[in-house]
Amino acid sequence: MNNKRINNIVEAVSHWRGALMGESLTRNITTRNMTALLTMAMLAISVSAEAAPALSVDANTEITKGKQPNILLILTDDLGYNDVGFNGSKEIKTPNLDQLAANGTSFSQAYVAHPFCGPSRAALMTGRYPHKIGSQFNLPTKGSFVGVPLEEQFISKLLQSNGYNTGAVGKWHLGEAPEFHPNARGFDDFYGFTGGGHNYFPQQFKAQYAEQLKQGNTNINHYILPLEHNGKEVDENEYITDALSREASRFVKDAAKHDKPFFLYLAYNAPHVPLEAKQSDMDQFPTIKDQKRKTYAGMVYAVDRGVGQIVETLDKTDQLNNTLIVFMSDNGGKLSKGANNYPLKEGKGSVYEGGYRTPMLFHWPDKVASGQRFEHPVLALDLYPTFAALAGADVPQQKRLDGKNIWPAFSANKNPHQDELFYVLRHRKGYSDAAVRRNEWKAVKHSQQPWKLFNVETDANETEDLSSKHRNKLNDMVREMEKWSWDNKQPLWFHENFEGAEWRLHGMPRFDKTYSTEK
């Protein structure tokens, strides 16, 4: 009998045992009852042994014993839902990611907390909706001394204080001043850039940077600034995606020398603009004729190459078997820049599915089931409490979290958010786009049009408005989101000065307009 079948039987027996213990509170249970019910559980599992849970019973046992896993969180930037093989891409090859998915579990309904970069990352690090902490806009484009509030403990800080060796590689976009620097927010090691993006070819951006210095400029475009290692400028000479992969592998090698687990946050800026790819990577896609799409594909392929390199390093250093790898994007793909979010509607910046539903996978040998597809909603907000639970780290009582530890539900292949609501809110000029989901139902307010209602389980493209058939359901969900919004904070900054002026001019956030359900 294989391990999968054994694990399924043990889990079923545990389930029936728990049920029987509960039943004993109301009536006596005989040995015959117990034997019969346990036999039923064994028979049920033997019929459907292939419906494996995502996490084995052995892994649960190890976790409860306090064994701390390594955690590798890989975040891409503006990756399309349909731009990885494990999500059905027929154009873009991602063999290394596909192998991780084949040996792990991929997710069909993974949601970030905001449909663009900075707020999404703030949510990932803090476990809070960005609107609750004043971080609902990208940081100012020309630099600033603001950042995600210091009273919000990052997951890195929590893990660091619980014995983890912590590293961050790549894009930060959470604050540039010293107090907001990665090294000050729980990362022992940081290699990358603190701004919201970067050019990819050093021979080009280094020349541009030198010219800016020659002209005496001090406020210089973030995209051409030198990269840094723990606050010190470095002379980087590799294509940036390759450099980030190299540094992640370096961190993994160094981590093998330490007698403690590691947490590595690898935040690629690819395939975010500017669209810049190596010719050798674009050559992998001879059938793609559109130049934007071809360049974008090459950028995604470079990420995949890097992931393969890092997995190989984990394997060679005997750390792979104790490493949970999580892969996802910060938001949906940007359709005008080569991305494909099929079958989802719209893309980056939108409250439709294509804006904040992203590719995602878990990989952990012998702990996460192979070749499974988790078909229930999960949130990027869930990663903070889930990582904390796996690490055996107690979240401080005063620390508020908007997600939950999904590992128990994930292990049982159950919906971790059954009957719960989750939200997305994007502020615009004088109004807000908003959406709220509960189970299969999603209510959407977009472009100042009336609220609509969709069944996103059967209509991922959000084409059939069912609001007229389920008016009470729609109104109830909107009222719940309105209630959720009351303790949202005013923005602590704006991406551009004119956005702040417009916000004040229009008396934003104007939730009286957002949550009106009158047609």
Side-chain angles (χ1 to χ4, degrees):
M1 185 177 292
N2 61 35
N3 289 336
K4 181 186 290 186
R5 183 180 293 257
I6 292 171
N7 288 333
N8 285 334
I9 291 173
V10 173
E11 182 172 312
V13 171
S14 299
H15 170 78
W16 283 105
R17 178 177 173 272
L20 289 169
M21 289 176 68
E23 190 178 6
S24 68
L25 297 176
T26 56
R27 64 178 182 272
N28 293 329
I29 297 177
T30 66
T31 301
R32 182 176 298 176
N33 293 145
M34 182 173 289
T35 302
L37 284 171
L38 292 179
T39 301
M40 288 170 61
M42 296 253 191
L43 288 173
I45 291 299
S46 67
V47 172
S48 58
E50 295 308 310
L55 176 69
S56 73
V57 172
D58 289 342
N60 272 322
T61 303
E62 283 189 2
I63 292 167
T64 56
K65 286 181 179 178
K67 184 173 182 180
Q68 293 176 301
N70 303 316
I71 301 171
L72 169 56
L73 173 58
I74 304 174
L75 190 70
T76 52
D77 201 341
D78 297 359
L79 178 66
Y81 186 82
N82 193 244
D83 289 331
V84 289
F86 68 83
N87 260 14
S89 177
K90 303 300 183 185
E91 281 189 315
I92 298 181
K93 297 184 294 185
T94 53
N96 293 294
L97 289 169
D98 296 348
Q99 189 64 40
L100 287 177
N103 294 327
T105 296
S106 61
F107 296 77
S108 63
Q109 301 181 56
Y111 293 89
V112 294
H114 197 280
F116 55 73
C117 305
S120 176
R121 291 159 196 270
L124 196 60
M125 286 292 109
T126 65
R128 303 297 315 278
Y129 280 106
H131 311 81
K132 303 300 179 185
I133 57 175
S135 304
Q136 56 268 65
F137 284 89
N138 277 337
L139 286 163
T141 57
K142 298 179 177 63
S144 68
F145 297 101
V146 296
V148 177
L150 296 177
E151 57 267 26
E152 292 296 334
Q153 184 184 58
F154 281 18
I155 182 60
S156 48
K157 198 73 170 178
L158 178 67
L159 294 177
Q160 184 186 57
S161 64
N162 280 270
Y164 272 72
N165 174 27
T166 56
V169 174
K171 173 176 172 175
W172 184 236
H173 210 199
L174 297 168
E176 300 148 36
E179 63 268 32
F180 301 116
H181 190 275
N183 292 144
R185 306 222 63 169
F187 287 104
D188 300 312
D189 192 271
F190 171 66
Y191 189 100
F193 48 93
T194 58
H198 211 282
N199 290 5
Y200 292 85
F201 289 107
Q203 64 269 33
Q204 296 174 8
F205 68 72
K206 285 162 70 173
Q208 295 168 347
Y209 177 66
E211 181 61 28
Q212 290 292 308
L213 291 180
K214 184 178 178 180
Q215 294 176 17
N217 295 330
T218 56
N219 192 290
I220 299 173
N221 184 353
H222 289 164
Y223 281 59
I224 63 173
L225 291 176
L227 273 68
E228 63 160 274
H229 185 205
N230 294 332
K232 296 182 179 180
E233 291 185 2
V234 296
D235 184 20
E236 182 56 69
N237 293 297
E238 281 196 83
Y239 178 71
I240 291 301
T241 301
D242 292 345
L244 301 183
S245 300
R246 180 198 72 221
E247 290 301 313
S249 291
R250 185 262 309 164
F251 178 88
V252 168
K253 289 177 185 176
D254 290 346
K257 304 171 187 175
H258 297 285
D259 187 24
K260 55 168 135 179
F262 72 77
F263 170 56
L264 176 58
Y265 170 50
L266 171 56
Y268 286 110
N269 55 314
H272 191 287
V273 293
L275 295 178
E276 296 177 351
K278 297 170 71 171
Q279 187 61 48
S280 58
D281 289 332
M282 289 190 288
D283 289 345
Q284 300 294 319
F285 307 97
T287 61
I288 298 179
K289 304 305 179 184
D290 179 83
Q291 192 58 41
K292 283 185 181 179
R293 179 68 172 165
K294 192 182 193 75
T295 306
Y296 172 94
M299 297 170 78
V300 175
Y301 189 74
V303 168
D304 185 79
R305 284 192 296 99
V307 170
Q309 175 186 341
I310 296 159
V311 171
E312 183 179 5
T313 303
L314 284 166
D315 193 25
K316 287 182 176 179
T317 56
D318 295 323
Q319 297 179 97
L320 183 62
N321 287 342
N322 192 41
T323 300
L324 168 64
I325 300 175
V326 178
F327 174 88
M328 66 186 309
S329 181
D330 63 342
N331 45 251
K334 192 167 185 175
L335 301 180
S336 63
K337 301 298 180 182
N340 180 2
N341 294 319
Y342 179 84
L344 310 180
K345 187 171 185 174
E346 296 195 357
K348 177 180 180 177
S350 176
V351 298
Y352 283 117
E353 294 288 283
Y356 68 116
R357 181 167 164 179
T358 86
M360 184 174 176
L361 67 80
F362 278 5
H363 178 276
W364 189 0
D366 300 324
K367 309 296 191 301
V368 170
S370 296
Q372 299 296 309
R373 186 77 163 168
F374 194 75
E375 301 286 357
H376 308 292
V378 296
L379 313 179
L381 291 165
D382 296 326
L383 294 182
Y384 191 120
T386 301
F387 290 170
L390 293 177
D394 291 329
V395 178
Q397 284 189 344
Q398 70 273 19
K399 171 63 178 169
R400 294 185 62 182
L401 292 171
D402 294 319
K404 67 194 303 184
N405 173 18
I406 62 170
W407 206 258
F410 172 66
S411 69
N413 195 25
K414 294 180 179 178
N415 186 350
H417 295 287
Q418 184 69 38
D419 299 328
E420 297 173 0
L421 299 109
F422 56 93
Y423 314 93
V424 63
L425 181 64
R426 168 42 190 306
H427 299 307
R428 295 186 180 272
K429 183 179 178 179
Y431 68 96
S432 298
D433 290 341
V436 50
R437 179 173 172 180
R438 179 165 55 198
N439 299 331
E440 72 271 30
W441 298 104
K442 180 181 175 184
V444 179
K445 174 80 170 177
H446 189 271
S447 299
Q448 303 188 80
Q449 298 298 309
W451 281 89
K452 297 179 180 179
L453 184 69
F454 303 98
N455 182 332
V456 290
E457 293 283 1
T458 59
D459 180 23
N461 194 242
E462 297 166 284
T463 55
E464 185 181 3
D465 178 17
L466 302 173
S467 59
S468 61
K469 296 180 181 179
H470 302 278
R471 198 70 197 172
N472 288 340
K473 187 180 297 292
L474 171 68
N475 289 340
D476 183 64
M477 293 173 69
V478 173
R479 295 287 76 77
E480 289 287 352
M481 186 171 186
E482 182 178 23
K483 182 168 65 177
W484 168 83
S485 299
W486 275 109
D487 65 345
N488 286 2
K489 298 288 190 297
Q490 284 285 314
L492 295 175
W493 59 77
F494 296 91
H495 194 43
E496 301 277 4
N497 268 325
F498 73 82
E499 289 180 332
E502 290 174 347
W503 181 275
R504 291 181 284 273
L505 180 65
H506 293 283
M508 289 291 284
R510 289 305 307 272
F511 285 150
D512 57 320
K513 293 168 58 177
T514 306
Y515 299 116
S516 172
T517 52
E518 296 180 3
K519 287 192 174 182

